[in-house]
Amino acid sequence: MGEINMKEFKHINAKTIAEAATALAQYAGKAAVIAGGTDLLTVVKSDIIPDYPAAVINLKTITPSLNYIKEEAGVLKIGALTTLNDIANNATVTGSYPLLSKAAQSVAAYTLRVMGTIGGNLCERVRCWYYRYPNEMGGRIFCFRKGGQLCFAVPGDNRFHAILAGQVCFAPFPSDTAVAISALNGKIVTNKRTIGIDDFYVVLGNTLGQDEIVTEIQIPKPAATVKQYWYKMRYRRAIDWALVSVASAIDVQNGTVASSRITLGAVAPIPYRATGAEDALKGKAISDTVATAAGKAAVADAFPLNANPPRSPGNAYKVQIASTLVKRAVLGQLGQ
Amino acid sequence: MVETYVPDFGTGKYKVFGNRLNNVTALERVVGRSMYDYDFRPQNMLYAMSLHSPYAHAQIVSMDTSAAEALPGVKLVMNYFNFPKVFIEPEIYYAGEEVAAVVATDLDTCYKALQLIKVEYNKLPAVYDMYEAQKTGAPNVLKNTTSNLRWTTGGFFTGLTPEGLWKTRVTQEIRGFGDAQAAMKTADTTIQVKDMRHPVVKSPIPHGLGVTADYTGDDASKQFTYYQDSKGLYADRNKLAAITGTPIGKAHLISPYAGGLWGVHLMVGDRRERSGPIACWASLTLNQPVYHHYLYHEETLRAVYKQSQTDIQIGFKKTGEIVSWIEEHKDLSGTQDSSAEGGSERSTPMLQYNRVCRDMSLRAGRVAANFPGNFQDYVGYSCTTGIFAAEMAMDVGAEALNMDPIDVRKINCMKKGLFDAHWNAAMAECSNEGHRECLDAVAATANWKTVWTGWAGIKAKTGPVKHGIGVALKIHTGGGWAGTAMLTKMFPDGSFECVSSVGDSGQNEPQAATMITAEVLGLPYERGSITRGSTSHPYSIMLGGSTGTWNHGYPTWEAAMNVRKQVLGLGAELYPDAAGKPVDISLLDMDQGGVFLKTDPTKKQTFSNVFARLANRLTADGKATFENRTGAFEVCAYAYRRATEGLIIPREKGAAIWNLDVDTETGEILNLKCATSDNIGKICNPHQVENQQSQGANHGAAWVLWCEKVIDPASGRDLTYNWIYEYPATHMDIETKFHIIEIPGDKSHPFGMTAASEGQPNPHSGAVANAIYNAIGVRLHQAPFTPDKILKALKLVV
């Protein structure tokens, strides 16, 4: 279609991680890093955030490359610049971490997966239609996530928004791979620290510092007794974000659940660990009754937003979906 | 003498028709060589961008443009106060409406300048939804109105002739024929379905929306050249010229590539369309070319297809015949109230189910609202919403009769020769049939006899994931009354060229035109080409839609026949009879090798020899004395067709069956499979029609599954401002199987070709709705059928 006006910014090809971090520090929150660019460029083109970014720092020029997948000492290590397509099709990942492979395969469409990276997917900005409202169409919407006073989804159309953990912002968390990595108890390595993925995210984004860059993802190899499950419910199979997704890794030993990690996607501003469901499973033999109870426990804290006239249906339906998907994850039914 | 070409339906005699050919423009489009309006950059071209309103309804009290005008590179800032002809009034009616424009040396400067414009608004009450707009106390959207609902008028017919036509048409609010109220009382079974709603969705945008206007005159001639993606080049040229009062003969439009499938760019001239007026007036004012093209988000705001609300009551005999049909249909008109096609959907049942019914009544209205966008009725030629409701009601009727829904449709489907209730000409006819054959084709593919388990079978389904199957018919009321022309040339090397301004339409003009010409001339398709893309080429139909091949095929055939006649006439001189005179051309034929006697095809006269007769340039031994590429020898013919009286309108006829699964615990709809069919009379290129069928399924189904345009209830802004939030399906979402039915009978076309393309989305919304009911046993009448609605219908969500 027509030419898109692009915001002016300085482009920096970083040679090392340290150089990229230095540039980030120099721009003090006004700089962005770019790898695949599939998310950042839409943010820039829609001009959704004033004065952002002043600089774009290219990570693809860093050596040694952050594009790798390897298994060392029982830990899967994925470089932050590894594409989603590579992860989806890597033999090690498909063999021992099928949950992650399937989650990566479900992201967007092929043309985006061959460009988009795991680091970018983990740090993707939320897909709230108020947050992303383009400036050129009557002015951007200055919501709470941008420092405003209101989450516009509350009085607005919130059919895709969070039913859990929203607090001040109800934008649904968009990353599929983060949900999978959470269920696999993965960690995120940055240029400064290693952090469990559940501690990486907060309601208004993530805990990355201004000069901090995701460099690697680490996932402990699941035991052979761990059953992995992934399901992403969406309108369209070809390309879509999740209405609700579920990832689970359930370790069944001697007929009962020894441990489990169940994470829901697109129901909260963060990957939502369904700890209630995990507690409901512990020490129990899996049955329809137990699975149903786990599903209910997963959404016990849900507080769906109101439907707003004239046409907004609200998002209470996501509670039913999330509960059902957790139940099926436990039972291993209808997974992808 | 004009040779009579005898159509030869279904014998396999054709050499070109039926071949699967790649779209002639496909490669250049895919590799980026095709030129669209924004690829033309006249020297010294300026750029223009628009400023959009954040409010849905407001008065513009004042506007300070001084800072924008002071920005280096800015040439002009336009708004209502200095260009009232462009912006019409100091009031905006929907969020995102254009309130000002900046013309500058580049787009970045335009964008920066737009941020500097200060607008003082006086907000006014607004309503964003046609359903809310009809409620008591809703603010009036348009000035000088007392209600947002306006009932429209149409034709009411009386005087049924023995031939099944109606003699008299009067214009009134209740359209139709017979006495529907009285006939309803004679029905054995009546059904009534109320408040059926089709969502407002995005129109497919087959090409960019925008205009580059190049004013080159400095005197009274006001010569303009426009660059715009268009499927109706002459119509768009005329509308653009009207903006500045430019004589049509001094205006010229270039559009080498237009979008395919359905949808026509005729927005220019619409009251709320700004791109054309901005570009034209800016170019006229600054005497430089000005490019105004909508950006991605602007495009998705502007192109929308409407919302509707329908009540239908049908009376049946117990044998399934419809004896009465009473309908009330309203659609969202947004802030505009003009549409030639607005009436099409209203007449849908009168065409689609008029085989035996003699009493129908329809009341139709348009509802204004502060809704973003310009409404493009051309999607499905505006029949989609009407068919959606009619097909759901027919399914309810079939259940009430406890009959197979395919059987009920076969009893009542459209009949050849009946009148058209919409168009002004009461005597217009439907040219041929085909619904029954289309139903048979999709029923076989969809395995209807096995999967359809009767109405009682719905209740017997078990498990969380339930399978459903649903059927629907489609029509497309189709246009095609305007004139259209073709200039055809043939050359001594046995190649040919078609020249016309025709857009992509029908069975893919220009490819179909090239195929028709090749077929008539007996030449390989690969030896021909078509030149098009500007108003310097012969006139073509304004609409360029589904009737493209049907309508444009006629002058294409006639011009080709004329060329053929001339070539054979020249060739006849090389075959003297016993008296030394040229043989009658009926004894001759031609193919890629040249002209020959039908009785002895082995002895051919090459085209070089034949064309040499144009100047008697043959040697004594019968050889041409010139090279066949000298260019001085060509045979050329022009043909023009304009049908206005006694018009036979082809219509699109088709059917679809959908198989799908509904997850009754999550509301998810899975495993979408479509079988679709069309009777198109005669096929040119199966690839093209199958592609149309596939895209029709992808759009029509998606519109009722997830493609609702969502408006922020607090501000009226469009939240579905890109394809991420509102998207059609793809081949990865839907498995579609195609059927092309070729039933001859359209006597208005030399090859019996009838309409194709625009109506492809039409059957799918109703068929999907019926399949969902077949799966879950609860009827949903208000699309889109998203998981929240399915779960609510199943009482799993309050």
Side-chain angles (χ1 to χ4, degrees), chain B residues 554-571:
Chain B
Y554 196 92
T556 300
W557 169 79
E558 190 172 302
M561 286 298 295
N562 194 323
V563 167
R564 177 185 170 85
K565 173 197 163 192
Q566 293 181 58
V567 172
L568 292 181
L570 292 169

Side-chain angles (χ1 to χ4, degrees), chain B residues 107-164:
Chain B
L107 284 174
D108 282 345
T109 302
C110 289
Y111 188 68
K112 286 174 184 169
L114 289 174
Q115 317 306 312
L116 300 174
I117 296 174
K118 295 175 182 171
V119 186
E120 183 184 356
Y121 294 99
N122 177 25
K123 286 178 65 178
L124 298 170
V127 60
Y128 316 131
D129 183 299
M130 70 171 283
Y131 315 115
E132 297 296 309
Q134 296 175 70
K135 291 180 178 175
T136 303
N140 286 335
V141 174
L142 302 177
K143 289 177 179 172
N144 305 317
T145 58
T146 56
S147 169
N148 292 318
L149 170 62
R150 182 179 70 82
W151 295 109
T152 61
T153 58
F156 191 87
F157 298 84
T158 55
L160 188 65
T161 69
E163 295 78 30

Side-chain angles (χ1 to χ4, degrees), chain B residues 487-492 495-497 521 559-570 590 607 610-612 614 631-638:
Chain B
L487 176 67
T488 300
K489 308 172 191 174
M490 186 176 166
F491 307 100
S495 64
F496 66 91
E497 178 191 13
L521 296 179
M561 286 298 295
N562 194 323
V563 167
R564 177 185 170 85
K565 173 197 163 192
Q566 293 181 58
V567 172
L568 292 181
L570 292 169
M590 55 194 276
F607 287 121
V610 171
F611 278 66
L614 286 168
F633 297 89
E634 69 177 33
V635 168
C636 182
Y638 174 85

Side-chain angles (χ1 to χ4, degrees), chain B residues 100 118 191 203 238 354 375 417 422 426 453 512 541 666 701 733 741-742 754 776 798:
Chain B
K118 295 175 182 171
I191 63 98
S203 287
N238 296 355
N354 61 9
F375 286 83
H422 169 59
T453 55
I541 54 173
T666 64
D733 301 301
I741 309 296
E742 294 180 274
T754 182
I776 66 175
V798 178

